[in-house]
Amino acid sequence: MGPSATGGTTGSDGNTAGGYKAARQSLRPLPQAPSASPPPTLKKTHLTHSRMQSYDEKPKYQHNGPAYSPTSLATQPTGVNAMGLNRADSVSRRSQQHSSSSPHGPVLSTPELKDLKKSTTSHLRTLSKFAGNESSEDFTLNSPTPSVVGMHGRRQLKRTDSTRGSKSTVTGHGSAWAERNWIDKQRQFLQAYEYLCHIGEAKEWIEDIIHTSLPPIVQLEEALRNGVTLAEIVQALHPNQTFRIFRHPKLQFRHSDNIALFFRFLAEVELPELFRFELIDLYEKKNIPKVIYCIHALSWLLYRKGIVDFRIGNLVGQLEFEHHELEEMQKGLDKSGVSMPSFAGMGASFGAEPEPEPEPEPEPVESEDDRIARELGENEAVCLELQAQMRGALVRLGLGHTMHDLWDAEEKLIDLQSIIRGSWARQIAEYRLSMQRFATDLQSVARGALVRSRQRRREEWWKGNEEDVVLLQSLVRARTSRIQTQKIKTHARREESSIRQIQAAIRGAFQRQSIDEQFSQAFDSEKQILRLQATIRAKLQRQRHQEDRHRLQEATQTVVDLQALGRAAAARNSVARQIGILHSLSGLWRALQAASRGALLRRNVKQIMRSLQGQETMMMALQASIRGKDCRQWLQRTKEQLCDASSEITNMQSACRAFLLRKRCEADLQALDRQCAETTVLQASICGWSLRQRQNQLHNDLFSNEAEVMKLQAFSRAMIIRTEVGTLLGELEDAESAIVELQAAMRGRLVRQKFAEKQKFFKANMEKVVKVQSFVRAKLQGEAYKSLTSGSNPPVGTVKGFVHLLNDSDFDFDEEVEFERLRKTVVQHVRQNELADQYITQLDIKIALLVKNKITLDEVVKHQKHFGGDAGRLLTNTEISSKDPFDLKALNKNSRRKLEHYQELFFILQTRPQYLARLFRRIREQATAEKDCERIKHLMMGLFGFAQKTREEYYLIKLITRSMKEEMDHCQSVQDYLRGNFFWAKLFGAYVKSPRDRKFMRDLLGPIIRENIIDNPELDLESDPMQIYLSAIENEQLRTGQRSRRSPEIPREEAIRDEETKRTFIAHLQDLRDIADQFFSLLEEQLQRMPYGVRYIAQQMFNCLVARFPHEEKLHILQIVGHWVWKAYLQPALHEPEKYGAIDRGLQPEHKRNVGQVTKVIAQVALGRLFGPENVFLQPLNSYVGESIQRLGEVWGNLIEVSHAEEHFDIDEFNDLYARTKPTLYIKMADIFSIHHLVAADTPYICPSHDDLLREVIRELGSAKSNENELMNTPMPK
């Protein structure tokens, strides 16, 4: 228990608190190797905070000291020497940066850790259990150890016997936790540490040569591969020469030229071959230590020859690296398998003299000043921290005073900000209004120019195509005339006899009226004259109309120019009047606005001055700061706005120049107008008078021929419109595909733009979206929980979401454990059944061969021994029934990582069906053998746990539908799809063998088979008349004991004429119809109980076929889907009911024959066709078959009406991310490696993209064979 809430603490409580404090200090992560000297002590800081003072210094984490400083700075002993450091003294040198403090606080003893077992923190209780265990060495925190004499930072490597001695040998701190050295754990990385130090020595030497910084030490090996650094060494040593150095961010083979340049330099300086390396040692990282060794040797050689005047340094023991860096480097060295060259004594190999050691000087007598300097140096870190805290406290105090003053003047600052904002807002509004007026005028002028130019182009186009229009009109008139003439000729030929009779009657009338011939001729001449006059008048009228039209066309430009001049003059006068009015009133408005602003500003200034008189000095400083900051911000914003609006400013300048140019042109035109006004008036008067005369004459002529002109105009307009419409339709028909593609591309671009904008918006506000989503989810969850706890009638979804809270007890946990145990047992039994099935199949083959004397009995016995001796021993498979073949305690780190990669692989294959869908299509294209297909099918079912749980079933049906769509996309027609032998169909056949499918088959087919076939021994559904006839003869002979008089050697046509055969045949057909009708009735009744997976797959098949083949009728596609459901799901169960659980016992031969007849009739209905010539004796059922086809079509329509899989299973793609329990998969080790090999063999086909996630996982896993050898050879716990 912890301390009491009312007073002091007990002894046990005090020990617990002390142990907890020591644990917090001891369990800090180790940042670096521990040092030898104890840490300096820091005092606890007093925490204060108020509005006037903001001083809050929390205990700081020190990299070179204890985790928390328990003492206070206020009680730290200080003196004259302690406060004698100024700001300049606080800057430490590089040589003083290595602190000698220890990284740990007090060391925990075993009794202290045992006292933690009463703590309320579970982690401390666990730590107490480890302390009570004798094997607690693994949790030891290392104590400080001394360094090697003369080598600062290099730790002494000594062996300790704390783990071998008895408990009585533990001294010092009284616990075995403090008896081990830090470097004992790092001893395994000693080779990697020394090698990294040698790389650091080479790095410093190269940097001194080329005067360029290189990457960090741990990355230098990769940086040297391209040879650029080595070539730069050669270039630095030959400054008078220029070498070609190939540089490229990616490693290429041309980088070997740089390495070759370095090789030539080694030959030039005559470096012995013993120290050189090969090209592949560096380029392919075969032996990088040899490269570092060569650089060391080169440095000593150049120093001996005097080319360089400095030696390579010795950094062993002076550098420190992270644990993971040492571990990775050691793994790399172990993996490469190269021997580490000896860097020691290399200088002696080249005859270099060792550096002279300084002679020992007599130890000087330490004076008082030296002692003060030494103590200041030792406590420099404490002084620096104290100074920093004091400076921080002073800064915070000043900031507190400043904030207090700002809070007091808050209202004045707000008023000042509002005034500044108002001024800026008014200026911006005036600028925007002026720019808006200018833009409006500019747009109006531009629109007028565009309209005039468009009208001018239209008139020019009509003038240019006038001859084509006239030609088109003449062609149309000629065609119309020819059509009318043809019609007249046709009518005349049809009425030829009547015309002859009329002509004869006319001749007789002319003869009889010969007396009136003179009068008739005169009368006829009068009509001809009138017709001739009308023709002449029409011709004259057309000529005048044509002349007027030509004159109008010639004067069109003049009229347009005249109208444009008139409009321009009127517009200029109006603009001039408006500008004059505005100019006349501008001074008054400005004065009024200035007076108003001045009055308001003076009033505000007086109020501000009165309120600021007491704060004049402070406000002057504040104003100066604000003005400076505001000015800088304004200048920065102005620069940014000018930079952002550079293009708009350029456009505005060009527009202003154009406006000024147009003003000058207008001024020139006005001057011309003033000089030629009289001439323009005279010309306008003359043109107007002439035009009015011609217009009046034209109006008179048109009025006299108004009816003819209206008809002509109507015919012309109609012909023009029809011609235009026909031409347009023809052009549209010719370019229909291009127009459709253009429209589709435009719509797609618009949709993509909207989607890109939405995507950009969501990406820019992703954090906000996540926060909003989390807030909404939390709000909904809270409201749901509130309605559950306080509501009278909570929704079903709320109860379903919190049902685990309503009855969360040990009984539920036991049930879940029992469920997992049963699930594992089911998987084991399924695999045992598979093995037994394989054993029985092979045994049947061996027996068949034995019967045919192809093999001997010994081979059958060998087959039995191969499978374990007998079937009973076969079913107890130790590999399947092992409790935990992947015990993590038995696996090493590499094997555990492999196992995690396998988990990632299986998770990706389950949740992303596109990979396995492509694999299934690959299997079909390669025409994989049936035996291999069966093996792959069993692997896939094991991968999805045989669809026993909701999650696995959801992902399995998603895989089947995705594979189905993948196959459909590569089918050119429906017939190709129907002829395909797809792998997903085999997987579907294994999926529908679940217990729920067996129950459905028992409910659907059980009553039909039991009542109509098994329980009715007299039932015979033979539909072949010949077989019925022969059966009747046989029955007659058995009944009478005499030979029948009916001959058995007759054709079927005569057999059907037999009365008894005919009656039996009709009765059989009636029984067939009744049983089939009962099947359809039960199917309609049990349809809603059909397993969801079958209905969902059928629905997806229908949708995919409709989308893939839109030209096919939906009823036809629905018939195809229904026939597939029958053929793949219902027919196998009806054909072999005992295998699918519809009945409990097998069928006899006569029962199977009757079931076959029923299956034939139902299959014909499911196919959607009537019986043809191949089943001529079943054609009497065609009327019933037709009715049943319509009936079954409605059943298929209801079958595909199901909800979405996500809604049915209550699962989505993010379900595994927030699930409370991780999914469990029971799978054999052999199946793991088989799936790995299967996927890895077709990885380029399954993952076309090179950066695909599955490719990375396969690459991390490596070879399946090597993984199998590694994991199979891992010792298992006994």
Side-chain angles (χ1 to χ4, degrees):
M1 297 295 292
S4 175
T6 59
T9 59
T10 62
S12 176
D13 297 338
N15 294 334
T16 304
Y20 180 78
K21 182 177 180 180
R24 287 182 60 90
Q25 294 179 357
S26 299
L27 292 179
R28 187 179 61 83
L30 186 64
Q32 61 180 10
S35 302
S37 61
T41 303
L42 296 180
K43 303 299 182 181
K44 186 176 180 181
T45 306
H46 181 65
L47 306 179
T48 60
H49 178 74
S50 66
R51 187 173 180 181
M52 294 296 296
Q53 294 178 342
S54 177
Y55 178 74
D56 187 1
E57 183 67 28
K58 298 182 179 179
K60 299 176 64 179
Y61 176 81
Q62 298 181 353
H63 293 284
N64 296 324
Y68 291 91
S69 299
T71 59
S72 175
L73 286 173
T75 60
Q76 182 178 357
T78 58
V80 177
N81 297 330
M83 297 301 295
L85 291 177
N86 55 16
R87 187 172 182 180
D89 296 332
S90 64
V91 181
S92 62
R93 293 174 297 176
R94 182 179 180 183
S95 61
Q96 297 175 351
Q97 288 180 356
H98 299 283
S99 176
S100 60
S101 58
S102 173
H104 297 296
V107 180
L108 288 175
S109 62
T110 302
E112 293 175 346
L113 291 175
K114 289 183 178 179
D115 291 339
L116 297 178
K117 64 183 179 180
K118 299 180 181 180
S119 175
T120 57
T121 305
S122 61
H123 301 292
L124 296 180
R125 292 197 301 270
T126 305
L127 187 60
S128 176
K129 293 179 181 179
F130 289 145
N133 190 2
E134 293 183 358
S135 61
S136 58
E137 275 186 12
D138 296 335
F139 303 93
T140 303
L141 298 177
N142 304 313
S143 61
T145 56
S147 302
V148 178
V149 178
M151 300 181 67
H152 176 70
R154 180 68 181 271
R155 307 293 184 260
Q156 289 184 359
L157 303 182
K158 64 179 182 178
R159 303 184 63 179
T160 60
D161 299 329
S162 60
T163 59
R164 300 179 183 178
S166 61
K167 296 183 179 179
S168 61
T169 61
V170 177
T171 61
H173 298 288
S175 174
W177 288 47
E179 290 299 324
R180 298 189 63 184
N181 197 329
W182 171 80
I183 202 61
D184 288 340
K185 289 188 177 181
Q186 307 297 332
R187 187 182 298 277
Q188 55 180 334
F189 304 137
L190 182 60
Q191 184 184 20
Y193 173 76
E194 293 182 351
Y195 175 58
L196 286 175
C197 291
H198 293 316
I199 295 178
E201 295 166 0
K203 174 178 177 294
E204 288 189 354
W205 184 80
I206 294 173
E207 288 177 346
D208 293 337
I209 292 292
I210 65 177
H211 303 290
T212 304
S213 60
L214 297 178
I217 295 176
V218 294
Q219 301 177 7
L220 187 62
E221 289 185 345
E222 189 67 27
L224 292 175
R225 290 184 63 189
N226 55 13
V228 175
T229 304
L230 301 179
E232 289 177 350
I233 294 175
V234 179
Q235 182 65 62
L237 296 174
H238 295 81
N240 298 328
Q241 300 181 16
T242 302
F243 299 98
R244 176 178 292 180
I245 302 176
F246 178 73
R247 305 176 188 269
H248 197 273
K250 293 184 178 181
L251 185 64
Q252 299 183 9
F253 188 73
R254 289 185 60 188
H255 284 114
S256 60
D257 298 340
N258 303 333
I259 304 175
L261 176 63
F262 184 71
F263 286 163
R264 291 195 296 271
F265 175 72
L266 296 180
E268 180 182 347
V269 299
E270 298 179 353
L271 182 71
E273 292 291 339
L274 175 65
F275 301 102
R276 299 187 188 183
F277 61 92
E278 300 295 334
L279 176 64
I280 60 174
D281 293 342
L282 178 59
Y283 186 77
E284 298 182 1
K285 298 179 67 175
K286 295 292 186 180
N287 194 350
I288 296 294
K290 187 67 176 292
V291 180
I292 305 300
Y293 186 66
C294 177
I295 295 175
H296 276 252
L298 178 63
S299 67
W300 286 105
L301 180 63
L302 295 179
Y303 177 73
R304 192 194 68 178
K305 291 187 174 183
I307 299 177
V308 296
D309 55 353
F310 53 89
R311 310 180 184 207
I312 193 168
N314 183 12
L315 300 179
V316 177
Q318 302 182 20
L319 299 179
E320 296 179 359
F321 302 97
E322 297 291 339
H323 178 80
H324 65 90
E325 295 176 349
L326 295 173
E327 184 179 5
E328 291 178 1
M329 180 56 68
Q330 189 64 44
K331 286 183 179 179
L333 294 176
D334 296 341
K335 186 177 180 180
S336 62
V338 297
S339 59
M340 182 64 64
S342 177
F343 290 86
M346 185 177 291
S349 300
F350 288 92
E353 298 180 358
E355 296 183 2
E357 296 183 359
E359 297 181 359
E361 297 180 359
E363 184 176 357
V365 179
E366 185 178 20
S367 63
E368 183 66 20
D369 295 336
D370 295 338
R371 184 186 63 79
I372 293 173
R374 179 177 56 78
E375 292 180 353
L376 287 177
E378 293 175 353
N379 297 284
E380 183 179 4
V382 179
C383 296
L384 290 175
E385 185 174 0
L386 177 61
Q387 291 175 348
Q389 291 176 356
M390 294 174 64
R391 294 191 191 98
L394 292 175
V395 171
R396 282 190 289 275
L397 287 174
L399 181 61
H401 289 298
T402 304
M403 292 300 297
H404 180 71
D405 296 338
L406 290 176
W407 287 335
D408 292 340
E410 185 176 2
E411 296 180 356
K412 299 175 183 179
L413 291 175
I414 292 173
D415 296 337
L416 179 61
Q417 291 174 351
S418 62
I419 292 171
I420 295 173
R421 293 192 192 98
S423 176
W424 276 101
R426 284 190 294 274
Q427 293 179 11
I428 292 171
E430 291 176 359
Y431 175 75
R432 288 180 177 176
L433 288 174
S434 61
M435 292 303 298
Q436 184 178 6
R437 287 193 293 270
F438 174 76
T440 303
D441 297 338
L442 182 63
Q443 290 174 354
S444 61
V445 173
R447 291 192 190 98
L450 291 174
V451 170
R452 287 192 295 274
S453 62
R454 192 181 298 112
Q455 185 177 3
R456 190 181 302 110
R457 286 195 300 269
R458 188 182 298 110
E459 292 175 355
E460 291 175 356
W461 186 86
W462 281 111
K463 289 179 182 179
N465 295 277
E466 183 178 4
E467 296 180 357
D468 297 336
V469 173
V470 173
L471 177 61
L472 178 62
Q473 291 176 348
S474 62
L475 292 174
V476 171
R477 295 192 190 96
R479 179 175 175 81
T480 305
S481 299
R482 285 194 296 271
I483 292 172
Q484 292 178 354
T485 305
Q486 188 67 27
K487 289 181 179 179
I488 293 172
K489 289 181 179 180
T490 304
H491 185 69
R493 285 194 297 270
R494 191 182 305 114
E495 303 293 338
E496 185 175 3
S497 60
S498 300
I499 292 172
R500 289 177 179 176
Q501 293 177 2
I502 293 172
Q503 289 175 350
I506 291 173
R507 291 190 192 97
F510 283 148
Q511 290 296 331
R512 286 190 298 271
Q513 296 178 359
S514 57
I515 300 172
D516 299 330
E517 183 179 358
Q518 193 74 25
F519 180 75
S520 299
Q521 290 179 355
F523 184 76
D524 293 337
S525 299
E526 184 179 3
K527 292 181 180 180
Q528 293 175 358
I529 292 170
L530 292 174
R531 190 178 303 163
L532 178 61
Q533 291 174 352
T535 304
I536 293 171
R537 291 192 194 96
K539 185 174 182 180
L540 292 175
Q541 189 68 23
R542 285 194 295 273
Q543 289 178 355
R544 285 195 297 274
H545 179 70
Q546 191 69 22
E547 292 174 357
D548 293 340
R549 184 176 179 182
H550 285 300
R551 284 195 296 273
L552 286 174
Q553 291 177 352
E554 292 173 357
T556 299
Q557 187 63 35
T558 305
V559 173
V560 171
D561 295 341
L562 179 61
Q563 292 175 349
L565 291 174
R567 294 191 193 98
R572 285 193 296 273
N573 293 333
S574 176
V575 171
R577 284 195 300 273
Q578 293 178 0
I579 293 174
I581 293 170
L582 291 175
H583 281 301
S584 62
L585 297 176
S586 61
L588 179 60
W589 284 107
R590 289 196 186 95
L592 179 59
Q593 291 176 349
S596 301
R597 295 192 193 98
L600 292 175
L601 185 59
R602 283 191 295 275
R603 185 185 305 168
N604 294 332
V605 168
K606 289 178 180 180
Q607 293 177 357
I608 294 171
M609 292 298 295
R610 284 195 298 270
S611 60
L612 295 179
Q613 285 178 358
Q615 306 289 337
E616 183 176 2
T617 305
M618 182 180 66
M619 290 305 299
M620 288 176 64
L622 177 62
Q623 288 175 353
S625 301
I626 293 174
R627 291 191 194 98
K629 183 177 181 180
D630 190 16
C631 184
R632 287 189 295 272
Q633 292 178 354
W634 176 80
L635 181 60
Q636 185 65 26
R637 286 196 302 270
T638 304
K639 289 181 179 180
E640 292 176 355
Q641 291 175 358
L642 288 175
C643 294
D644 296 338
S646 58
S647 59
E648 290 80 357
I649 293 173
T650 305
N651 296 333
M652 182 60 68
Q653 289 176 349
S654 62
C656 293
R657 294 190 188 97
F659 179 75
L660 293 175
L661 182 60
R662 285 194 296 273
K663 295 293 287 184
R664 287 197 295 270
C665 292
E666 289 179 0
D668 295 339
L669 290 175
Q670 289 177 1
L672 291 175
D673 290 341
R674 286 193 298 271
Q675 297 297 328
C676 61
E678 298 176 355
T679 304
T680 303
V681 172
L682 179 60
Q683 290 177 350
S685 301
I686 294 173
C687 293
W689 183 81
S690 301
L691 184 61
R692 284 192 294 275
Q693 291 293 328
R694 290 193 297 271
Q695 191 72 20
N696 292 332
Q697 185 65 31
L698 178 62
H699 285 171
N700 294 332
D701 296 338
L702 292 175
F703 183 76
S704 60
N705 299 280
E706 184 176 2
E708 291 81 357
V709 171
M710 290 176 64
K711 291 181 181 179
L712 178 62
Q713 289 176 347
F715 290 151
S716 301
R717 292 191 192 98
M719 192 63 206
I720 291 172
I721 291 173
R722 283 193 293 270
T723 304
E724 291 177 353
V725 171
T727 305
L728 181 60
L729 289 177
E731 293 176 354
L732 290 177
E733 288 178 357
D734 295 339
E736 182 177 3
S737 59
I739 292 171
V740 171
E741 292 179 358
L742 178 61
Q743 291 175 344
M746 293 172 66
R747 294 192 189 99
R749 181 175 178 80
L750 293 175
V751 172
R752 286 192 296 273
Q753 286 179 352
K754 292 180 180 178
F755 178 75
E757 292 175 359
K758 291 183 179 179
Q759 189 178 21
K760 183 179 179 181
F761 176 78
F762 277 111
K763 287 183 178 179
N765 301 275
M766 184 57 66
E767 295 182 358
K768 299 179 182 178
V769 171
V770 172
K771 290 180 180 178
V772 171
Q773 289 177 346
S774 62
F775 175 76
V776 171
R777 293 193 189 99
K779 185 71 174 176
L780 294 177
Q781 197 77 358
E783 292 178 354
Y785 185 77
K786 184 177 180 181
S787 64
L788 180 67
T789 55
S790 60
S792 59
N793 188 16
V796 178
T798 302
V799 177
K800 183 179 179 181
F802 293 94
V803 71
H804 62 280
L805 300 178
L806 300 178
N807 189 16
D808 192 2
S809 62
D810 295 338
F811 179 74
D812 298 331
F813 179 76
D814 295 338
E815 281 191 343
E816 187 173 354
V817 171
E818 180 65 18
F819 173 75
E820 287 296 329
R821 187 188 65 79
L822 294 176
R823 178 168 171 260
K824 183 177 180 180
T825 304
V826 169
V827 174
Q828 293 175 2
H829 289 173
V830 169
R831 290 174 179 160
Q832 290 172 3
N833 293 337
E834 292 176 0
L835 293 176
D837 187 20
Q838 296 177 6
Y839 170 72
I840 294 172
T841 303
Q842 294 295 329
L843 188 59
D844 290 341
I845 297 174
K846 298 292 183 182
I847 293 174
L849 294 175
L850 179 62
V851 171
K852 295 182 179 180
N853 293 327
K854 298 295 184 180
I855 60 176
T856 62
L857 186 60
D858 295 335
E859 295 182 6
V860 178
V861 175
K862 287 181 181 179
H863 169 72
Q864 186 176 2
K865 291 181 179 180
H866 174 69
F867 278 93
D870 54 60
R873 294 176 60 185
L874 170 69
L875 296 178
T876 57
N877 190 353
T878 57
E879 183 183 6
I880 298 175
S881 61
S882 61
K883 290 185 177 180
D884 194 0
F886 281 126
D887 190 354
L888 296 181
K889 294 183 180 179
L891 296 176
N892 55 28
K893 189 172 182 180
N894 188 32
S895 301
R896 192 179 298 112
R897 187 173 67 252
K898 294 289 185 183
L899 182 59
E900 292 174 356
H901 287 321
Y902 276 119
Q903 292 176 358
E904 294 178 6
L905 173 64
F906 294 156
F907 182 79
I908 292 173
L909 294 179
Q910 283 183 346
T911 57
R912 299 189 180 183
Q914 63 269 23
Y915 299 122
L916 291 179
R918 297 181 188 134
L919 178 63
F920 294 167
R921 183 161 63 88
R922 182 69 170 177
I923 292 172
R924 179 185 60 83
E925 292 175 351
Q926 291 179 344
T928 307
E930 189 66 25
K931 182 179 180 181
D932 295 335
C933 289
E934 286 295 322
R935 182 180 61 84
I936 297 173
K937 181 183 71 174
H938 291 309
L939 290 177
M940 294 300 105
M941 291 302 296
L943 178 62
F944 289 92
F946 296 94
Q948 292 184 14
K949 299 184 71 174
T950 303
R951 175 185 177 275
E952 282 73 14
E953 182 182 3
Y954 167 77
Y955 285 120
L956 180 59
I957 64 175
K958 281 291 185 180
L959 170 62
I960 294 174
T961 54
R962 179 56 187 261
S963 178
M964 178 197 311
K965 185 178 182 301
E966 187 79 18
E967 297 289 357
M968 286 183 189
D969 293 340
H970 292 79
C971 294
Q972 301 300 325
S973 64
V974 178
Q975 300 301 324
D976 294 342
Y977 172 73
L978 295 177
R979 288 192 295 265
N981 183 20
F982 306 120
F983 183 82
W984 64 263
K986 299 181 177 62
L987 195 62
F988 174 79
Y991 164 66
V992 296
K993 293 181 180 180
S994 62
R996 59 178 172 276
D997 295 283
R998 297 173 69 88
K999 183 179 182 303
F1000 174 73
M1001 293 301 175
R1002 186 181 299 110
D1003 296 339
L1004 177 64
L1005 303 178
I1008 298 176
I1009 298 175
R1010 284 194 302 269
E1011 297 175 3
N1012 298 291
I1013 296 178
I1014 298 178
D1015 297 340
N1016 190 4
E1018 299 179 355
L1019 180 66
D1020 188 3
L1021 300 179
E1022 181 61 55
S1023 60
D1024 188 357
M1026 193 65 197
Q1027 295 297 329
I1028 296 174
Y1029 178 76
L1030 295 176
S1031 179
I1033 294 176
E1034 184 178 356
N1035 292 334
E1036 180 184 359
Q1037 292 176 354
L1038 291 174
R1039 186 176 62 254
T1040 60
Q1042 297 179 0
R1043 184 180 181 86
S1044 177
R1045 296 180 180 180
R1046 290 179 289 186
S1047 173
E1049 302 296 334
I1050 60 174
R1052 284 183 171 81
E1053 290 76 8
E1054 295 183 5
I1056 195 63
R1057 296 190 185 98
D1058 184 71
E1059 292 296 332
E1060 184 181 358
T1061 303
K1062 187 175 182 180
R1063 289 193 304 269
T1064 306
F1065 176 71
I1066 295 173
H1068 288 181
L1069 293 184
Q1070 291 176 350
D1071 293 338
L1072 270 176
R1073 183 187 60 187
D1074 295 340
I1075 296 175
D1077 190 73
Q1078 185 179 359
F1079 171 79
F1080 295 138
S1081 299
L1082 284 175
L1083 181 60
E1084 292 173 346
E1085 181 181 350
Q1086 300 288 336
L1087 182 62
Q1088 299 302 325
R1089 300 181 183 179
M1090 181 180 290
Y1092 173 81
V1094 179
R1095 300 182 65 185
Y1096 178 77
I1097 294 172
Q1099 181 198 51
Q1100 294 302 309
M1101 181 185 294
F1102 176 78
N1103 295 335
C1104 293
L1105 285 173
V1106 170
R1108 180 67 180 87
F1109 307 107
H1111 57 279
E1112 296 287 343
E1113 295 183 0
K1114 291 187 177 181
L1115 293 178
H1116 177 57
I1117 294 177
L1118 182 61
Q1119 183 66 39
I1120 293 174
V1121 173
H1123 183 257
W1124 172 82
V1125 173
W1126 157 256
K1127 187 176 181 181
Y1129 185 61
L1130 298 175
Q1131 184 180 4
L1134 184 59
H1135 187 67
E1136 296 178 338
E1138 69 280 2
K1139 184 177 180 181
Y1140 287 84
I1143 57 176
D1144 299 331
R1145 57 191 178 89
L1147 297 176
Q1148 298 179 1
E1150 58 273 13
H1151 296 160
K1152 291 184 178 181
R1153 185 171 61 252
N1154 293 334
V1155 169
Q1157 293 296 324
V1158 176
T1159 304
K1160 183 185 295 185
V1161 175
I1162 299 176
Q1164 196 69 25
V1165 176
L1167 189 60
R1169 299 177 184 175
L1170 302 177
F1171 286 108
E1174 65 278 3
N1175 294 308
V1176 65
F1177 296 105
L1178 291 177
Q1179 287 183 355
L1181 293 175
N1182 279 345
S1183 59
Y1184 172 74
V1185 170
E1187 297 174 358
S1188 299
I1189 289 173
Q1190 299 296 330
R1191 181 181 180 182
L1192 197 58
E1194 297 178 359
V1195 173
W1196 301 143
N1198 296 328
L1199 182 139
I1200 63 175
E1201 292 179 359
V1202 293
S1203 60
H1204 295 290
E1206 290 78 8
E1207 180 181 352
H1208 177 78
F1209 292 104
D1210 194 17
I1211 294 177
D1212 55 16
E1213 56 183 348
F1214 305 105
N1215 190 70
D1216 290 331
L1217 300 179
Y1218 59 81
R1220 292 181 298 171
T1221 58
K1222 293 184 178 180
T1224 305
L1225 180 62
Y1226 298 101
I1227 188 169
K1228 296 189 298 185
M1229 295 182 66
D1231 293 347
I1232 292 177
F1233 306 123
S1234 297
I1235 294 174
H1236 180 193
H1237 177 73
L1238 181 65
V1239 175
D1242 294 320
T1243 301
Y1245 188 85
I1246 299 175
C1247 311
S1249 178
H1250 290 284
D1251 56 351
D1252 197 281
L1253 179 60
L1254 185 60
R1255 276 182 179 263
E1256 297 180 3
V1257 175
I1258 295 296
R1259 193 180 303 113
E1260 291 290 339
L1261 283 173
S1263 173
K1265 190 66 177 176
S1266 61
N1267 293 342
E1268 182 178 4
N1269 295 333
E1270 179 180 352
L1271 292 177
M1272 286 296 188
N1273 295 330
T1274 301
M1276 294 299 164
K1278 297 182 179 179

